[in-house]
């Protein structure tokens, strides 16, 4: 990528897309094609074709997706499948039609089988059944990986895929019905502290293990891989360490300064017991995260709730 290459970040208003945009702007890139969901419905094939015809981007980061936590994934199952399949198929296909030099597709750690060995190596894809609560989303993301692989195979497109672990940071979703665990708990503990509520409800048993990466680290990794990686095999992006939901809750409780109790609501699903990424491939290329979890939570709490 040159500093004046035309770059299209699909989903540039979302948590991931906006972090990639900020990172590229900081690196001195200044020629962006913008779309937002009001003017361009990425599920609309003709509209996406017209957008590519008009903008002719040289590089594409495909960070647009319908996303959500365990509640949303498990409720809006048809939407998670349809919207994601349509968005990614339209963008990937038009990137091929319009000769995009390189495209990066962003997937998710939920593509791996529910009971895969840990840490999750890239080779474990399609070796077992998926976690039911996010199967529609995972099936869509697996299709995206395969599209990149097969467009590379048949048409020679330089399309790569990356699989981020659970992310958090600026522009996250704090709607308690739809959000992921980290923003949900930040909000719950913050509000409980303000209202002097004696306990905070944590979904599930607290025993599932999750890995968390700050979205600024993700953006840095995406930029690094866009410059340094052009292989068929997709790459995990994570930190290589995980914590239990209970440990996460205790950490957030401490950062917020809440003094009440945790109450586990076991009527809510736990989801996958563990999904820790193997980041050996990423580390061997020379990239490692810089923001540790505690520091990232402190930053996120300050930015969102203390300003
Ligand atoms: P997942 O990684 O796809 O399972 O997505 P989430 O981030 O939504 O949930 C991760 C884990 O945190 C699950 O075991 C949830 O049950 C648990 N969890 C605990 N409290 C909450 C909460 O308030 N919201 C969410 N979304 N998850 C929670």
């Amino acid at each position: 990528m040159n500093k004046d290459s035309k770059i299209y970040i699909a989903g540039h208003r979302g948590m991931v897309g906006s972090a990639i945009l900020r990172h590229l702007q900081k690196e001195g890139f200044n020629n962006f094609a913008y779309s937002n969901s009001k003017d361009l419905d990425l599920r609309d094939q003709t509209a996406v074709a017209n957008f590519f015809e008009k903008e002719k981007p040289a590089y594409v980061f495909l960070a647009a997706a319908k996303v959500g936590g365990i509640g949303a994934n498990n409720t809006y199952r048809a939407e998670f499948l349809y919207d994601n399949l349509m968005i990614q198929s339209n963008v990937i296909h038009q990137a091929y039609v319009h000769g995009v030099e390189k495209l990066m597709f962003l997937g998710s750690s939920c593509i791996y089988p529910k009971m895969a060995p840990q840490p999750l190596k890239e080779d474990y894809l399609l070796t077992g059944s998926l976690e039911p609560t996010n199967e529609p989303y995972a099936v869509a993301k697996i299709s995206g990986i395969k599209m990149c692989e097969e467009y590379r195979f048949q048409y020679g497109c330089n399309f790569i895929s990356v699989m981020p672990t659970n992310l958090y940071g600026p522009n996250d979703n704090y709607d308690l019905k739809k959000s992921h665990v980290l923003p949900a708990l930040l909000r719950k503990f913050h509000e409980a502290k303000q209202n002097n509520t004696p306990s905070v409800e944590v979904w599930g048993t607290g025993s599932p293990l999750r890995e968390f990466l700050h979205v600024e680290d993700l953006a840095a990794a995406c930029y690094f891989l866009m410059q340094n990686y052009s292989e068929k095999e997709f790459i995990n992006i994570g930190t290589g360490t995980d914590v239990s939901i209970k440990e996460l809750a205790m950490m957030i409780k401490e950062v917020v300064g809440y003094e009440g109790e945790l109450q586990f609501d076991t009527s809510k699903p736990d989801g996958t017991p563990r999904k820790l990424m193997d980041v050996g491939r990423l580390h061997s290329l020379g990239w490692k995260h810089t923001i540790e979890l505690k520091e990232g939570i402190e930053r996120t709490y300050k930015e969102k709730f203390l300003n």
Side-chain angles (χ1 to χ4, degrees):
M1 282 192 304
N2 296 319
K3 296 280 145 108
D4 59 353
S5 302
K6 183 106 178 229
I7 299 170
Y8 172 44
I9 304 168
H12 77 280
R13 288 174 185 251
M15 176 168 66
V16 170
S18 62
I20 294 174
L21 178 60
R22 286 194 303 277
H23 191 91
L24 293 178
Q25 285 172 330
K26 219 169 54 196
E27 293 287 343
F29 293 87
N30 52 33
N31 188 6
F32 295 98
Y34 291 106
S35 72
N36 64 59
S37 44
K38 257 201 269 130
D39 307 330
L40 174 61
D41 182 348
L42 291 173
R43 296 169 304 181
D44 179 338
Q45 190 178 14
T46 308
V48 177
N50 292 341
F51 176 80
F52 271 79
E53 179 64 36
K54 180 166 156 261
E55 298 289 348
K56 297 195 174 20
Y59 294 88
V60 174
F61 291 85
L62 177 38
K66 184 175 185 72
V67 297
I70 194 165
N73 264 282
N74 202 18
T75 306
Y76 307 105
R77 296 177 67 90
E79 285 175 49
F80 271 80
L81 187 55
Y82 177 79
D83 288 6
N84 287 311
L85 282 174
M86 295 305 283
I87 291 168
Q88 67 200 34
S89 299
N90 287 336
V91 173
I92 293 170
H93 186 70
Q94 291 306 323
Y96 151 63
V97 170
H98 292 278
V100 162
E101 281 179 44
K102 188 165 183 178
L103 173 145
M104 172 181 283
F105 172 67
L106 284 104
S108 156
S109 59
C110 72
I111 56 156
Y112 290 108
K114 175 171 183 163
M115 292 306 174
Q118 307 279 329
L120 298 158
K121 286 191 196 303
E122 287 87 349
D123 302 341
Y124 299 162
L125 184 72
L126 294 175
T127 55
S129 306
L130 297 164
E131 154 61 31
T133 55
N134 57 28
E135 187 181 279
Y137 180 71
V139 166
K141 290 293 184 187
I142 293 169
S143 304
I145 295 172
K146 291 296 163 191
M147 274 190 85
C148 291
E149 285 178 11
E150 305 311 349
Y151 276 60
R152 172 183 294 273
F153 174 80
Q154 187 175 344
Y155 305 129
C157 298
N158 190 4
F159 293 173
I160 62 172
S161 300
V162 298
M163 298 305 122
T165 190
N166 297 40
L167 302 168
Y168 67 98
N171 294 327
D172 207 343
N173 181 353
Y174 285 82
D175 171 343
L176 294 180
K177 287 208 179 78
K178 296 183 176 169
S179 66
H180 284 101
V181 60
L182 197 153
L185 293 183
L186 271 177
R187 178 170 169 186
K188 286 188 198 177
F189 282 112
H190 178 68
E191 290 177 355
K193 183 184 172 189
Q194 281 191 319
N195 303 328
N196 280 320
T197 315
S199 66
V200 163
E201 186 189 280
V202 181
W203 295 358
T205 59
S207 61
L209 295 155
R210 294 288 185 273
E211 176 187 12
F212 298 93
L213 179 73
H214 194 283
V215 73
E216 275 170 21
D217 269 335
L218 173 79
C222 289
Y223 176 56
F224 173 82
L225 292 169
M226 200 64 159
Q227 287 174 304
N228 296 300
Y229 187 77
S230 291
E231 305 300 320
K232 166 181 170 237
E233 290 79 23
F234 65 88
I235 294 207
N236 291 339
I237 304 180
T239 63
T241 48
D242 56 3
V243 293
S244 73
I245 296 303
K246 184 171 178 189
E247 287 169 316
L248 176 76
M250 297 302 290
M251 212 183 263
I252 294 177
K253 178 177 183 255
E254 193 191 323
V255 168
V256 172
Y258 172 70
E259 291 183 346
E261 304 291 319
L262 308 183
Q263 216 169 26
F264 291 94
D265 176 0
T266 50
S267 70
K268 293 281 198 305
D270 267 349
T272 281
R274 190 178 193 194
K275 43 179 173 176
L276 175 65
M277 296 291 213
D278 183 306
V279 284
R281 192 175 280 175
L282 182 63
H283 285 180
S284 71
L285 290 166
W287 189 89
K288 195 176 175 298
H289 73 284
T290 59
I291 306 170
E292 296 303 336
L293 182 57
K294 182 83 184 294
E295 177 201 345
I297 292 174
E298 284 165 355
R299 268 172 63 173
T300 308
Y301 181 55
K302 233 190 246 160
E303 284 159 10
K304 177 71 187 174
F305 294 101
L306 302 183
N307 281 327

